[in-house]
């Protein structure tokens, strides 16, 4: 069996994907945390905020952790693009590989928990349509952010130093 | 920078992890699909089934796809353990790598969507506690299945043929 051709990805492409992840997480975080709605009911006004729904709290937690990690990785990659050297040498490849894997799984679960809560709560709480639509938008953008982080995870697996 | 030592995992360990994934998915599927509850309300009896909740339908879809994939991979791995040869040579390494990645992401989202729906619906539908507890059990076992599939995904990334 012939080994496949070398598949090391250009650091500029890596940086682009990290930046796209970063932007998606930022937009998702802003939409989610500013999402409040006042609904007038018979007995008075009810205010609903994102942290009234447990799934959205979990979603925010995954966004914040993913945001911090992506910021760190973006800084590392900018350093690599500008100097041509990989900071801290080979051990960072392992950190990238496991870090990207864990963070991309986390973002996937954050987005899925958001969707899972939204779709079934919305049908029960029809008056809060706009609130759940915004939450859906945040979960969708988080899903896009997850796709980019999954691409980063593939890149970091392909970039693992050759073994054997 | 010195390359890390060879990290190819024994096929027996790979097979064990696949079998554990398989068992978790099977148990989760059985708990989820047999989950029905009849609740007596003032105006009559209400029957709730897992497919009344959209998030649980998605969860079942991820379990079924993950189940079929794991069955296939288990068969391949048994072939490999018993004959010592890898079926179809090198292209299967790529299939393992991307397949395990996609399936493990899918299982993670299935479990998270189940949890996301359960935690917030349960607080609104107090009479259906037993139904949501069983759904939670299914989501928990699916989560364990996801962990095993994530381990498979790490193994298949480490087993990618060395690149030049």
């Amino acid at each position: 069996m012939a080994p496949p051709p070398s598949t090391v990805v250009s650091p500029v492409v890596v940086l682009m994907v990290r930046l796209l992840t970063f932007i998606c997480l930022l937009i998702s975080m802003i939409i989610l945390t500013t999402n409040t709605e006042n609904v007038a009911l018979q007995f008075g006004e009810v205010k609903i905020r994102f942290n009234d729904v447990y799934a959205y709290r979990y979603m925010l937690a995954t966004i914040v952790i993913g945001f911090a990690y992506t910021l760190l990785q973006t800084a590392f990659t900018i350093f690599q693009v500008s100097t041509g050297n990989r900071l801290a040498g080979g051990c960072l490849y392992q950190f990238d590989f496991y870090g990207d894997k864990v963070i991309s799984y986390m973002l996937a679960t954050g987005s899925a928990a958001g969707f899972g809560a939204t779709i079934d709560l919305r049908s029960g709480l029809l008056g809060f349509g706009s609130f759940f639509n915004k939450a859906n938008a945040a979960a969708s953008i988080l899903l896009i952010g997850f796709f980019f982080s999954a691409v980063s995870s593939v890149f970091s697996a392909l970039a693992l130093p050759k073994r054997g």
Side-chain angles (χ1 to χ4, degrees), chain A residues 31-90:
Chain A
I31 296 177
L32 186 67
T33 51
T34 59
N35 190 11
T36 52
E37 194 179 3
N38 293 297
V39 175
L41 298 177
Q42 282 183 316
F43 51 88
E45 204 175 55
V46 171
K47 186 175 184 180
I48 189 165
R49 298 203 307 149
F50 84 93
N51 54 6
D52 293 325
V53 179
Y54 283 102
Y56 298 160
R57 289 194 206 177
Y58 174 70
M59 205 174 135
L60 182 67
T62 65
I63 295 175
V64 169
I65 297 171
F67 190 78
Y69 176 80
T70 310
L71 195 66
L72 184 76
Q73 282 287 8
T74 307
F76 283 161
T77 316
I78 289 174
F79 179 86
Q80 192 186 1
V81 170
S82 56
T83 67
N85 289 316
R86 191 83 177 102
L87 204 68

Side-chain angles (χ1 to χ4, degrees), chain A residues 78-124:
Chain A
I78 289 174
F79 179 86
Q80 192 186 1
V81 170
S82 56
T83 67
N85 289 316
R86 191 83 177 102
L87 204 68
C91 46
L92 259 190
Y93 287 104
Q94 304 284 328
F95 173 71
D96 286 359
F97 173 60
Y98 290 105
D100 284 346
K101 227 174 171 51
V102 170
I103 294 295
S104 61
Y105 282 131
M106 256 188 38
L107 295 179
T109 56
S111 173
F115 278 122
T118 303
I119 197 162
D120 290 300
L121 287 177
R122 184 162 52 180
S123 59

Side-chain angles (χ1 to χ4, degrees), chain A residues 102-160:
Chain A
V102 170
I103 294 295
S104 61
Y105 282 131
M106 256 188 38
L107 295 179
T109 56
S111 173
F115 278 122
T118 303
I119 197 162
D120 290 300
L121 287 177
R122 184 162 52 180
S123 59
L125 298 166
L126 289 175
F128 298 92
S130 152
F131 173 76
F132 286 117
N133 285 344
K134 274 189 199 153
N136 235 358
S140 305
I141 294 169
L142 178 55
L143 188 67
I144 300 172
F146 150 68
F147 282 128
F148 288 123
S149 77
V151 172
S152 285
S153 174
V154 170
F155 287 168
S156 64
L158 295 178
L160 274 180

